[in-house]
Amino acid sequence: MAEFKRKVVLITGSSAGIGAGIAVYMAARGARLSLTGRDQGKLRGVAQRCVEAGVTEQDVLATTGDLTDEAFRNQLVTQTVDTFGQLDVLVNNAGLVLPDTPDLQNHLDVMNLNLNAHVAMSKLSVPHLLRSKGNIVNVSSNAALKVYPGLGSYCVSKAALEMFTKVLALELAPKGVRVNSVNPGVVRSDIARFLNYTDEQYNEFWAEFAKAIPVGRLGKPEEVARAVAFLASDKSSFVTGALILIDGGYAML
Ligand SMILES: NC(=O)c1ccc[n+]([C@@H]2O[C@H](COP(=O)([O-])OP(=O)(O)OC[C@H]3O[C@@H](n4cnc5c(N)ncnc54)[C@H](OP(=O)(O)O)[C@@H]3O)[C@@H](O)[C@H]2O)c1
């Protein structure tokens, strides 16, 4: 099970949801982890779950901060490499959904995190990944391919991330660094909290979504984590610039 033994994996947005699922999955396979999110309490909880999954406390670095802040991104990458001596895998996972509005504010907030932060994190990480012959996995969405009316900025941010994945993959292919993308469909998480629903309404919201998905249910963080781990591992040594849809068939509708 030690598929990632001593590999150093930095996962953004790992204080909750899909990112937390990826962290625990990687921990169970021997990775050393650099976890990050804004909420210190949630981040500590995920770090604890990683320890329970099999790594030591020294193998988990938890850094709290806002990924849209350039100084924080610099600190995060530097601290990761200073702590562990290397970086093998960057998982660009942090993301948010906001509805389209007549002004540009939500659009800018979505693009700043879902695209710009990942571009910046990739650029900061590439020198280290060149040394380790590591790789990048971007957590995109089936929204890169599927139209969600009212969520134009979100769809655009993911479609743009898709093209960034491919451009970087082609640039880095001759240098031994792979860049790929996973594209989840609907996975229950905190991502729809912007709707300000009561708990009951929130449950109903996800239940309605589940009915629309061809396989008849929502996805689970671990189902995304398995694909991330495949792309991050040597099992996918000939895969770069690829996209793996994990959406129970939803994008086909
Ligand atoms: N859930 C789905 O149905 C779904 C479907 C397709 C794609 N995705 C993608 O999967 C990724 C993870 O989403 P999720 O569903 O797991 O959402 P989530 O439960 O809301 O988790 C989002 C993560 O991103 C972090 N984050 C948000 N804003 C941040 C900021 N400004 N700076 C630093 N960290 C920030 C959050 O940490 P804090 O709260 O601690 O800041 C949290 O760890 C996103 O890229 C999303 O687009 C999700």
Side-chain angles (χ1 to χ4, degrees):
M1 284 297 265
E3 196 179 349
F4 289 95
K5 197 169 170 45
R6 309 306 289 160
K7 296 280 187 197
V8 177
V9 182
L10 193 171
I11 307 164
T12 67
S14 38
S15 58
I18 291 171
I22 297 167
V24 174
Y25 192 88
M26 294 289 206
R29 282 150 188 82
R32 289 180 286 170
L33 293 158
S34 177
L35 308 181
T36 185
R38 290 165 304 176
D39 186 315
Q40 196 172 33
K42 288 196 296 182
L43 199 58
R44 280 209 191 112
V46 176
Q48 183 54 36
R49 284 173 59 198
C50 289
V51 170
E52 284 158 16
V55 292
T56 67
E57 277 177 21
Q58 292 69 40
D59 290 338
V60 185
L61 174 69
T63 315
T64 313
D66 190 327
L67 215 60
T68 63
D69 174 11
E70 184 182 1
F72 174 69
R73 292 191 299 258
N74 286 328
Q75 179 205 332
L76 176 62
V77 175
T78 304
Q79 216 164 293
T80 301
V81 175
D82 285 353
T83 302
F84 296 124
Q86 68 200 69
L87 176 65
D88 297 289
V89 179
L90 169 67
V91 182
N92 284 314
N93 165 77
L96 87 165
V97 176
L98 290 174
D100 298 335
T101 49
D103 66 14
L104 270 184
Q105 197 51 57
N106 281 2
H107 176 77
L108 294 174
D109 288 348
V110 167
M111 296 302 278
N112 250 341
L113 182 64
N114 293 8
L115 179 66
N116 300 350
H118 302 331
V119 171
M121 282 298 292
S122 300
K123 287 180 189 291
L124 286 171
S125 299
V126 163
H128 306 292
L129 296 173
L130 287 171
R131 272 194 286 281
S132 61
K133 301 291 178 210
N135 65 79
I136 297 174
V137 181
N138 290 321
V139 179
S140 177
S141 167
N142 70 354
L145 310 163
K146 180 178 172 62
V147 175
Y148 287 87
L151 298 179
S153 297
Y154 182 72
C155 294
V156 166
S157 72
K158 296 298 188 178
L161 182 62
E162 217 54 65
M163 184 50 83
F164 178 68
T165 298
K166 290 180 189 169
V167 171
L168 198 60
L170 201 53
E171 287 172 359
L172 296 178
K175 298 176 179 169
V177 173
R178 299 180 298 107
V179 187
N180 290 291
S181 157
V182 295
N183 297 59
V186 188
V187 176
R188 185 177 171 140
S189 74
D190 289 339
I191 201 146
R193 291 285 176 202
F194 69 89
L195 292 166
N196 285 321
Y197 283 159
T198 62
D199 286 351
E200 195 182 338
Q201 287 170 323
Y202 205 63
N203 291 338
E204 185 57 26
F205 168 80
W206 292 107
E208 277 305 309
F209 245 134
K211 288 184 202 160
I213 295 166
V215 301
R217 66 168 176 86
L218 304 175
K220 300 172 189 156
E222 192 187 318
E223 291 175 313
V224 180
R226 287 205 292 263
V228 171
F230 168 71
L231 291 172
S233 76
D234 290 342
K235 284 182 186 157
S236 62
S237 49
F238 203 50
V239 181
T240 196
L243 165 173
I244 299 183
L245 258 177
I246 310 155
D247 75 343
Y250 198 27
M252 290 186 285
L253 296 179

